Amino acid sequence: MSYFLELQNLLEIERKEDLSLFENQNKLLSNAEKRNLGIVWYPIAIRNTEIGRGDYLLVEVERTTHQEIVHQFRSGVPVAFFTHHDSDLKLEGLISHVSANRMRIALKVDELPDWMNKGKIGVQLLFDNNSYDEMKRALKKAEIIERNDTENRLIKVLTGVEKPFFKKEASGYISSRLNDSQNQAVNSILAAQELAILHGPPGTGKTTTLVEAISALYMQSGKQILVTAPSNTAVDLLTLKLAEKGVNVIRIGNPIRVSQKLEELTLDYKINQHQYNKEIKQLKKQAAEYRNMAHKYKRSFGKLEREQRKALFDEAHKLLKQVEQTESFISEDLLNKAQVITATLVGVNNYAIKDRDYDIVVIDEAAQALEPACWIPVLRSRKVIFAGDHLQLPPTVKSKEAEKLGLSSTLLEKNMGFHPEAVSLLTTQYRMNKEINDYPSIELYESKLHADRSVATRKLDQKDIPVEFVDTAGCSFDEKINGTSVYNPEEANFTLKHLTGLLQNHNKAKYSVAVISPYKQQVELLKELIEDWEDLKPFLAQIDINTIDSFQGQERDIVYISLTRSNSENAIGFLSDIRRMNVAITRARMKLVVIGDSGTLSKNAFYSDFISYTEKINGYKSAWEFMHI
């Protein structure tokens, strides 16, 4: 089977599983439960309606309660309005802009139905087929190119058929802002003709290096560069960093981080500031007046009124066509002048840039990106730079079958295997004490990862041991199972007890603390327990509790890891994915405390070796040592 046909089959398996999970969730959960999951806003208030691009009516809504709940709404995703008094009444649309508590939704209607003005209404997420459609289109296009375009070297390189080329002459690029391995990486990126891979372990300054490389690439080629990532958060960070470096960058889509500085970098904002935008506003105002006149006609009107109403709507549509043409002209003008365009992988097919091609595409966080999504920007380019770390968390795959058949294998990871000569490893990290650094360095990074001297020896105090494993073996801290999750009440209590002692001994410094676990149920239990833990109340503002996965990309002074598993079968579930533990360990700057049952864990080589490592540095403790505290 063709490489791309196989990927299409895997993607379809994943889509079906995702849809099934979504439908089951909708059937089983109440609106209140959906609201708590962030997939429903209810109740909402309509704050504004205006004419949007094309024939769309833009409705701005605000959630009026439960504003503290983190939501999953994002631009480009389908949603439906609903009312509490009639479950059959629905109106579907697409999110065009979203912030913390407000969003604009594009509707293909001339006016809102009457029921939206009566009683409480809400808005809920619909299944996002659009992302799957975009990925499928990219794979089909790649399949056609692979079959018919014998000159396309990039596809042959990325599928392992041919080797990448590199320029023989050295660029000699050196920046005083970068260390040796970072400068070498930038030079490798500049020398690559089809492919370069920036491998950035935790704390090594991957984003700094990537921004420097993008700036250097533009100086070298003078041609526009497309910069993408799977998440809005990663795109936002790169957009800000590029702007700070003086790069003319335009962000496509809505930033997830709502800040004035970031908003000013979006295409929408720049269009609004353009000199021709006054003309657009005037045309929109005139079109709105025609629509308002049309809406004044009652529903029971005669032929003459019907014709007049239609004529008014027609005039409004003509004006909106002029608006669309003017906006397109402004958009093209702005985009043509940009040095860098940034967007998410799927956002690359946004209407404003869907027909643009690039010499160079950069994909950050490529180790967390599904391969089909990567082909969307890749097919627009002649050269690709991947950046990421395949030894941290992989992309989320919901179908076990698709995962088993290879959908979780990323394009970055495959090409690190195909083309090791294209890989540049960053070797100096600026986050962790040397003893925290050394275990993941030895186990995962071939002992090449080193702590910079600025962080290598920093500790809570001179006598402190930066890495501890507290062994709960023999304490009868037995795990419990609730549905698909695992929790361990005794270990949770012990974790907070141990943390209390540590913070009380260092109460003069306001250290930031993360208490993390692989298991959601254990996290919920820890959050519940800490509320009533009197001795920790003075420190609550310093402590964050969450899953390991949610902490990727973050760091804290002190990190506690509650491993949770403790059973006679030595079953450790997804703790066996050592990439998750790599993320957990490497969040800590000065102090790492891992709490777990050596009897359950030590059958796995990674944990057995970790326990041995803590013994060598005098960091191994038994939980029994703390029972009297």
Side-chain angles (χ1 to χ4, degrees):
M1 187 185 293
S2 148
Y3 182 93
F4 293 105
L5 274 176
E6 189 173 342
L7 272 177
Q8 287 177 57
N9 289 340
L10 293 180
L11 186 64
E12 183 58 21
I13 293 169
E14 174 70 1
R15 188 194 69 81
K16 286 179 179 176
E17 178 65 17
D18 197 4
L19 177 59
S20 175
L21 290 170
F22 183 87
E23 288 176 341
N24 288 337
Q25 187 181 56
N26 268 338
K27 285 176 190 172
L28 297 172
L29 300 180
S30 66
N31 277 333
E33 289 170 322
K34 291 176 191 175
R35 181 173 57 197
N36 290 335
L37 285 173
I39 60 175
V40 157
W41 282 9
Y42 180 81
I44 58 169
I46 295 173
R47 297 304 185 200
N48 188 33
T49 60
E50 63 180 74
I51 297 164
R53 189 177 179 86
D55 292 333
Y56 285 92
L57 181 69
L58 282 179
V59 181
E60 185 174 10
V61 303
E62 180 179 17
R63 58 174 171 174
T64 54
T65 64
H66 302 83
Q67 294 185 343
E68 75 286 353
I69 296 173
V70 178
H71 64 77
Q72 298 181 39
F73 292 85
R74 63 187 192 280
S75 94
V77 173
V79 293
F81 286 102
F82 64 90
T83 176
H84 76 291
H85 61 75
D86 190 337
S87 60
D88 292 329
L89 294 174
K90 295 278 192 301
L91 180 61
E92 295 186 9
L94 281 176
I95 299 174
S96 67
H97 189 277
V98 64
S99 60
N101 295 305
R102 287 201 178 207
M103 64 177 144
R104 287 200 299 272
I105 298 163
L107 302 168
K108 198 77 171 176
V109 294
D110 286 318
E111 55 191 331
L112 296 178
D114 290 342
W115 60 262
M116 286 185 66
N117 298 311
K118 298 173 183 175
K120 287 184 178 179
I121 59 170
V123 63
Q124 65 180 37
L125 278 174
L126 298 179
F127 183 70
D128 183 16
N129 255 315
N130 178 59
S131 296
Y132 285 102
D133 290 342
E134 296 290 3
M135 288 188 276
K136 187 176 179 180
R137 270 193 284 272
L139 294 177
K140 284 185 172 181
K141 182 180 175 183
E143 181 195 351
I144 292 167
I145 295 171
E146 181 189 39
R147 192 169 59 241
N148 300 322
D149 186 358
T150 55
E151 301 301 314
N152 192 306
R153 271 189 46 77
L154 183 57
I155 286 181
K156 292 175 182 175
V157 168
L158 295 181
T159 54
V161 175
E162 292 186 7
K163 287 289 180 184
F165 293 151
F166 298 87
K167 294 172 187 172
K168 290 181 181 177
E169 66 277 9
S171 64
Y173 187 90
I174 296 177
S175 169
S176 60
R177 295 180 290 272
L178 304 182
N179 62 39
D180 288 346
S181 69
Q182 290 171 334
N183 272 313
Q184 287 170 17
V186 173
N187 279 285
S188 296
I189 288 168
L190 291 172
Q193 293 195 33
E194 299 90 9
L195 172 69
I197 299 171
L198 178 62
H199 183 188
T204 54
K206 172 180 65 68
T207 300
T208 299
T209 308
L210 195 56
V211 167
E212 195 78 24
I214 292 165
S215 177
L217 282 166
Y218 182 78
M219 288 169 61
Q220 181 191 65
S221 69
K223 293 181 179 177
Q224 194 173 76
I225 298 169
L226 175 64
V227 175
T228 75
S231 71
N232 277 296
T233 305
V235 175
D236 289 348
L237 177 62
L238 279 169
T239 304
L240 279 174
K241 294 293 183 184
L242 285 163
E244 286 168 4
K245 193 166 173 58
V247 175
N248 180 1
V249 57
I250 291 182
R251 167 76 156 98
I252 303 298
N254 305 135
I256 205 80
R257 294 169 61 180
V258 182
S259 69
Q260 182 65 27
K261 190 173 182 181
L262 192 56
E263 186 185 3
E264 288 173 3
L265 299 172
T266 64
L267 180 60
D268 288 346
Y269 182 89
K270 289 176 184 286
I271 288 173
N272 286 334
Q273 300 303 307
H274 198 275
Q275 58 180 338
Y276 291 154
N277 196 51
K278 287 180 182 177
E279 181 184 332
I280 288 175
K281 286 181 178 177
Q282 188 59 41
L283 289 168
K284 281 186 176 180
K285 183 181 178 183
Q286 201 173 342
E289 286 171 359
Y290 280 129
R291 283 194 174 205
N292 289 337
M293 288 166 66
H295 292 159
K296 287 177 182 176
Y297 287 96
K298 303 297 180 185
R299 293 192 180 277
S300 54
F301 45 69
K303 181 182 176 185
L304 189 62
E305 289 85 0
R306 189 161 35 249
E307 287 174 356
Q308 183 64 28
R309 177 182 165 94
K310 182 180 182 302
L312 288 166
F313 276 129
D314 286 346
E315 284 301 313
H317 289 157
K318 282 178 189 176
L319 290 170
L320 292 175
K321 277 292 179 189
Q322 286 181 253
V323 168
E324 193 170 343
Q325 288 166 3
T326 309
E327 281 184 340
S328 293
F329 172 80
I330 295 172
S331 176
E332 281 299 301
D333 181 51
L334 291 166
L335 291 168
N336 288 338
K337 291 173 182 173
Q339 296 171 332
V340 172
I341 292 173
T342 63
T344 61
L345 294 170
V346 175
V348 167
N349 275 349
N350 180 283
Y351 71 89
I353 59 169
K354 62 184 175 65
D355 297 322
R356 301 179 81 88
D357 290 325
Y358 311 85
D359 273 13
I360 302 166
V361 163
V362 176
I363 302 179
D364 192 20
E365 302 296 356
Q368 289 185 275
L370 284 176
E371 179 176 351
C374 287
W375 285 104
I376 300 171
V378 164
L379 294 177
R380 306 280 193 85
S381 68
R382 296 185 181 89
K383 171 176 171 176
V384 177
I385 292 94
F386 293 119
D389 182 11
H390 64 297
L391 298 171
Q392 296 186 64
L393 291 174
T396 300
V397 177
K398 294 178 180 177
S399 164
K400 296 296 181 188
E401 182 186 357
E403 183 178 26
K404 187 178 177 182
L405 291 171
L407 189 59
S408 60
S409 295
T410 63
L411 203 50
L412 175 141
E413 190 172 1
K414 287 179 181 179
N415 277 274
M416 289 183 80
F418 294 151
H419 312 300
E421 70 277 18
V423 180
S424 297
L425 175 69
L426 302 182
T427 56
T428 303
Q429 63 82 16
Y430 299 87
R431 175 185 299 166
M432 297 167 273
N433 171 286
K434 181 182 183 299
E435 289 179 338
I436 300 171
N437 169 93
D438 284 355
Y439 185 68
S441 177
I442 293 163
E443 286 288 311
L444 298 169
Y445 300 105
E446 300 176 346
S447 298
K448 293 178 180 176
L449 185 61
H450 306 288
D452 186 73
R453 59 184 178 182
S454 63
V455 300
T457 58
R458 64 180 181 184
K459 303 178 180 182
L460 300 183
D461 60 53
Q462 287 307 305
K463 294 181 181 178
D464 189 58
I465 299 166
V467 183
E468 287 184 28
F469 176 74
V470 184
D471 191 354
T472 64
C475 295
S476 298
F477 289 2
D478 296 328
E479 68 183 58
K480 293 173 174 54
I481 297 174
N482 180 14
T484 58
S485 194
V486 178
Y487 65 107
N488 191 323
E490 289 83 4
E491 184 177 295
N493 276 288
F494 178 81
T495 299
L496 296 181
K497 182 179 182 181
H498 192 284
L499 174 61
T500 302
L502 183 77
L503 291 177
Q504 286 176 339
N505 287 336
H506 298 89
N507 63 0
K508 290 181 181 178
K510 287 195 174 294
Y511 292 118
S512 59
V513 181
V515 181
I516 58 182
S517 174
Y519 295 97
K520 288 182 181 177
Q521 195 73 33
Q522 186 75 346
V523 167
E524 292 306 314
L525 179 59
L526 285 161
K527 285 179 177 178
E528 189 180 316
L529 289 171
I530 202 169
E531 290 297 320
D532 299 320
W533 207 277
E534 289 297 325
D535 291 340
L536 279 176
K537 286 196 172 170
F539 308 104
L540 282 181
Q542 300 162 233
I543 303 169
D544 289 307
I545 302 175
N546 219 321
T547 60
I548 292 172
D549 294 31
S550 70
F551 270 97
Q552 177 147 320
Q554 299 186 52
E555 56 188 79
R556 298 291 188 275
D557 296 324
I558 301 166
V559 171
Y560 272 71
I561 307 172
S562 172
L563 292 177
T564 309
R565 300 310 297 258
S566 179
N567 56 74
S568 56
E569 295 81 25
N570 303 319
I572 62 170
F574 67 15
L575 282 186
S576 58
D577 185 348
I578 59 174
R579 292 172 296 186
R580 183 167 274 105
M581 275 308 293
N582 183 34
V583 170
I585 289 170
T586 56
R587 300 309 95 200
R589 296 188 191 112
M590 302 184 200
K591 178 77 172 182
L592 172 69
V593 180
V594 181
I595 298 172
D597 179 354
S598 65
T600 299
L601 298 165
S602 58
K603 294 294 184 289
N604 180 287
F606 181 87
Y607 295 98
S608 177
D609 291 348
F610 177 73
I611 294 166
S612 298
Y613 173 76
T614 59
E615 288 174 335
K616 286 177 188 174
I617 62 170
N618 296 318
Y620 174 86
K621 310 284 183 185
S622 170
W624 287 104
E625 298 175 39
F626 303 93
M627 290 302 188
H628 65 282
I629 297 173

Short mmCIF file of all heavy atoms in Angstrom, two decimals, residues 296-321:
data_model
loop_
_atom_site.label_atom_id
_atom_site.label_comp_id
_atom_site.label_asym_id
_atom_site.label_seq_id
_atom_site.Cartn_x
_atom_site.Cartn_y
_atom_site.Cartn_z
N LYS A 296 -37.63 45.08 8.84
CA LYS A 296 -38.81 45.75 9.35
C LYS A 296 -40.10 45.18 8.76
O LYS A 296 -41.18 45.37 9.31
CB LYS A 296 -38.73 47.26 9.07
CG LYS A 296 -37.70 47.96 9.96
CD LYS A 296 -37.59 49.44 9.62
CE LYS A 296 -36.53 50.10 10.50
NZ LYS A 296 -36.33 51.52 10.12
N TYR A 297 -39.98 44.51 7.62
CA TYR A 297 -41.17 43.90 7.03
C TYR A 297 -41.65 42.75 7.90
O TYR A 297 -40.86 41.94 8.38
CB TYR A 297 -40.86 43.39 5.61
CG TYR A 297 -40.73 44.50 4.60
CD1 TYR A 297 -39.47 45.00 4.26
CD2 TYR A 297 -41.86 45.05 4.00
CE1 TYR A 297 -39.34 46.03 3.34
CE2 TYR A 297 -41.73 46.08 3.07
CZ TYR A 297 -40.47 46.56 2.75
OH TYR A 297 -40.36 47.59 1.85
N LYS A 298 -42.95 42.66 8.12
CA LYS A 298 -43.51 41.59 8.92
C LYS A 298 -43.48 40.28 8.13
O LYS A 298 -43.34 40.27 6.91
CB LYS A 298 -44.96 41.93 9.31
CG LYS A 298 -45.10 43.24 10.05
CD LYS A 298 -44.37 43.22 11.37
CE LYS A 298 -44.51 44.53 12.13
NZ LYS A 298 -43.70 44.56 13.35
N ARG A 299 -43.66 39.19 8.83
CA ARG A 299 -43.62 37.89 8.17
C ARG A 299 -44.85 37.68 7.28
O ARG A 299 -44.80 36.92 6.32
CB ARG A 299 -43.53 36.77 9.21
CG ARG A 299 -42.19 36.81 9.93
CD ARG A 299 -41.93 35.57 10.75
NE ARG A 299 -40.63 35.69 11.40
CZ ARG A 299 -39.48 35.40 10.84
NH1 ARG A 299 -39.44 34.99 9.59
NH2 ARG A 299 -38.34 35.52 11.49
N SER A 300 -45.98 38.31 7.60
CA SER A 300 -47.18 38.17 6.76
C SER A 300 -47.27 39.39 5.84
O SER A 300 -47.85 40.41 6.20
CB SER A 300 -48.43 38.07 7.64
OG SER A 300 -48.46 39.18 8.52
N PHE A 301 -46.57 39.33 4.73
CA PHE A 301 -46.60 40.44 3.80
C PHE A 301 -46.94 39.94 2.40
O PHE A 301 -46.84 38.76 2.09
CB PHE A 301 -45.28 41.21 3.79
CG PHE A 301 -44.06 40.33 3.76
CD1 PHE A 301 -43.75 39.58 2.63
CD2 PHE A 301 -43.20 40.28 4.85
CE1 PHE A 301 -42.62 38.80 2.60
CE2 PHE A 301 -42.08 39.48 4.83
CZ PHE A 301 -41.79 38.74 3.69
N GLY A 302 -47.34 40.88 1.56
CA GLY A 302 -47.76 40.53 0.20
C GLY A 302 -46.59 40.49 -0.77
O GLY A 302 -45.43 40.64 -0.40
N LYS A 303 -46.95 40.32 -2.05
CA LYS A 303 -45.96 40.16 -3.11
C LYS A 303 -45.05 41.39 -3.22
O LYS A 303 -43.82 41.27 -3.35
CB LYS A 303 -46.67 39.91 -4.44
CG LYS A 303 -45.72 39.69 -5.60
CD LYS A 303 -46.47 39.49 -6.91
CE LYS A 303 -45.49 39.38 -8.07
NZ LYS A 303 -46.18 39.30 -9.38
N LEU A 304 -45.63 42.56 -3.17
CA LEU A 304 -44.86 43.79 -3.32
C LEU A 304 -43.83 43.94 -2.20
O LEU A 304 -42.67 44.27 -2.43
CB LEU A 304 -45.81 45.00 -3.33
CG LEU A 304 -45.15 46.35 -3.69
CD1 LEU A 304 -44.59 46.31 -5.10
CD2 LEU A 304 -46.20 47.47 -3.56
N GLU A 305 -44.31 43.69 -0.96
CA GLU A 305 -43.39 43.78 0.19
C GLU A 305 -42.27 42.74 0.10
O GLU A 305 -41.12 43.00 0.44
CB GLU A 305 -44.17 43.59 1.50
CG GLU A 305 -45.07 44.75 1.88
CD GLU A 305 -46.43 44.66 1.20
OE1 GLU A 305 -46.66 43.68 0.43
OE2 GLU A 305 -47.24 45.56 1.43
N ARG A 306 -42.65 41.53 -0.36
CA ARG A 306 -41.66 40.46 -0.50
C ARG A 306 -40.57 40.86 -1.50
O ARG A 306 -39.39 40.64 -1.29
CB ARG A 306 -42.36 39.17 -0.92
CG ARG A 306 -41.44 37.96 -0.87
CD ARG A 306 -42.17 36.62 -0.83
NE ARG A 306 -43.40 36.60 -1.59
CZ ARG A 306 -44.62 36.52 -1.05
NH1 ARG A 306 -44.75 36.46 0.26
NH2 ARG A 306 -45.71 36.49 -1.80
N GLU A 307 -40.99 41.46 -2.62
CA GLU A 307 -40.03 41.90 -3.64
C GLU A 307 -39.13 43.01 -3.11
O GLU A 307 -37.92 43.05 -3.37
CB GLU A 307 -40.78 42.37 -4.89
CG GLU A 307 -41.40 41.22 -5.69
CD GLU A 307 -42.25 41.71 -6.86
OE1 GLU A 307 -42.42 42.96 -6.98
OE2 GLU A 307 -42.73 40.87 -7.63
N GLN A 308 -39.76 43.93 -2.36
CA GLN A 308 -38.98 45.03 -1.78
C GLN A 308 -37.95 44.49 -0.77
O GLN A 308 -36.79 44.93 -0.75
CB GLN A 308 -39.92 46.02 -1.09
CG GLN A 308 -39.23 47.26 -0.52
CD GLN A 308 -38.58 48.11 -1.61
OE1 GLN A 308 -39.04 48.12 -2.74
NE2 GLN A 308 -37.50 48.78 -1.26
N ARG A 309 -38.39 43.55 0.03
CA ARG A 309 -37.49 42.94 1.03
C ARG A 309 -36.32 42.27 0.33
O ARG A 309 -35.15 42.43 0.73
CB ARG A 309 -38.29 41.93 1.86
CG ARG A 309 -37.48 41.16 2.90
CD ARG A 309 -38.40 40.16 3.60
NE ARG A 309 -37.67 39.16 4.35
CZ ARG A 309 -37.40 39.25 5.64
NH1 ARG A 309 -37.78 40.31 6.33
NH2 ARG A 309 -36.74 38.29 6.26
N LYS A 310 -36.62 41.51 -0.74
CA LYS A 310 -35.58 40.81 -1.49
C LYS A 310 -34.60 41.81 -2.11
O LYS A 310 -33.37 41.62 -2.10
CB LYS A 310 -36.18 39.93 -2.58
CG LYS A 310 -35.16 39.12 -3.39
CD LYS A 310 -35.82 38.27 -4.45
CE LYS A 310 -34.79 37.45 -5.21
NZ LYS A 310 -33.74 38.26 -5.86
N ALA A 311 -35.13 42.91 -2.65
CA ALA A 311 -34.28 43.93 -3.27
C ALA A 311 -33.32 44.54 -2.25
O ALA A 311 -32.14 44.80 -2.55
CB ALA A 311 -35.15 45.01 -3.90
N LEU A 312 -33.82 44.77 -1.03
CA LEU A 312 -32.97 45.34 0.02
C LEU A 312 -31.85 44.37 0.41
O LEU A 312 -30.70 44.77 0.58
CB LEU A 312 -33.83 45.68 1.24
CG LEU A 312 -34.76 46.88 1.08
CD1 LEU A 312 -35.79 46.92 2.21
CD2 LEU A 312 -33.96 48.19 1.03
N PHE A 313 -32.19 43.06 0.56
CA PHE A 313 -31.17 42.06 0.86
C PHE A 313 -30.15 41.96 -0.28
O PHE A 313 -28.95 41.82 -0.05
CB PHE A 313 -31.79 40.69 1.13
CG PHE A 313 -32.26 40.51 2.54
CD1 PHE A 313 -33.55 40.05 2.81
CD2 PHE A 313 -31.43 40.78 3.62
CE1 PHE A 313 -33.99 39.89 4.12
CE2 PHE A 313 -31.86 40.61 4.92
CZ PHE A 313 -33.15 40.17 5.18
N ASP A 314 -30.62 42.05 -1.53
CA ASP A 314 -29.72 41.99 -2.68
C ASP A 314 -28.72 43.14 -2.66
O ASP A 314 -27.53 42.97 -2.94
CB ASP A 314 -30.51 42.01 -3.99
CG ASP A 314 -31.22 40.68 -4.27
OD1 ASP A 314 -30.87 39.68 -3.59
OD2 ASP A 314 -32.11 40.64 -5.13
N GLU A 315 -29.22 44.34 -2.33
CA GLU A 315 -28.34 45.50 -2.25
C GLU A 315 -27.29 45.32 -1.15
O GLU A 315 -26.12 45.67 -1.32
CB GLU A 315 -29.15 46.77 -1.99
CG GLU A 315 -29.89 47.29 -3.20
CD GLU A 315 -28.96 47.62 -4.36
OE1 GLU A 315 -27.93 48.30 -4.14
OE2 GLU A 315 -29.24 47.19 -5.49
N ALA A 316 -27.75 44.77 -0.03
CA ALA A 316 -26.82 44.51 1.08
C ALA A 316 -25.74 43.53 0.65
O ALA A 316 -24.55 43.72 0.94
CB ALA A 316 -27.59 43.97 2.29
N HIS A 317 -26.14 42.46 -0.07
CA HIS A 317 -25.17 41.46 -0.52
C HIS A 317 -24.17 42.04 -1.51
O HIS A 317 -22.98 41.69 -1.49
CB HIS A 317 -25.90 40.27 -1.15
CG HIS A 317 -26.64 39.43 -0.14
ND1 HIS A 317 -27.70 38.63 -0.47
CD2 HIS A 317 -26.48 39.30 1.19
CE1 HIS A 317 -28.14 38.03 0.61
NE2 HIS A 317 -27.41 38.42 1.64
N LYS A 318 -24.62 42.95 -2.38
CA LYS A 318 -23.71 43.60 -3.33
C LYS A 318 -22.64 44.41 -2.59
O LYS A 318 -21.45 44.38 -2.92
CB LYS A 318 -24.49 44.52 -4.27
CG LYS A 318 -25.24 43.81 -5.38
CD LYS A 318 -26.01 44.83 -6.21
CE LYS A 318 -26.95 44.12 -7.19
NZ LYS A 318 -27.77 45.11 -7.95
N LEU A 319 -23.09 45.14 -1.59
CA LEU A 319 -22.14 45.93 -0.80
C LEU A 319 -21.14 45.03 -0.07
O LEU A 319 -19.96 45.35 0.05
CB LEU A 319 -22.90 46.80 0.20
CG LEU A 319 -23.70 47.95 -0.40
CD1 LEU A 319 -24.60 48.58 0.66
CD2 LEU A 319 -22.78 49.00 -1.00
N LEU A 320 -21.65 43.88 0.44
CA LEU A 320 -20.77 42.95 1.16
C LEU A 320 -19.75 42.32 0.23
O LEU A 320 -18.64 41.98 0.66
CB LEU A 320 -21.61 41.87 1.86
CG LEU A 320 -22.47 42.39 3.02
CD1 LEU A 320 -23.35 41.30 3.56
CD2 LEU A 320 -21.58 42.96 4.11
N LYS A 321 -20.10 42.15 -1.04
CA LYS A 321 -19.14 41.66 -2.02
C LYS A 321 -17.99 42.67 -2.18
O LYS A 321 -16.83 42.30 -2.28
CB LYS A 321 -19.81 41.43 -3.37
CG LYS A 321 -20.52 40.09 -3.51
CD LYS A 321 -19.50 38.96 -3.52
CE LYS A 321 -20.19 37.60 -3.62
NZ LYS A 321 -19.22 36.50 -3.41
#
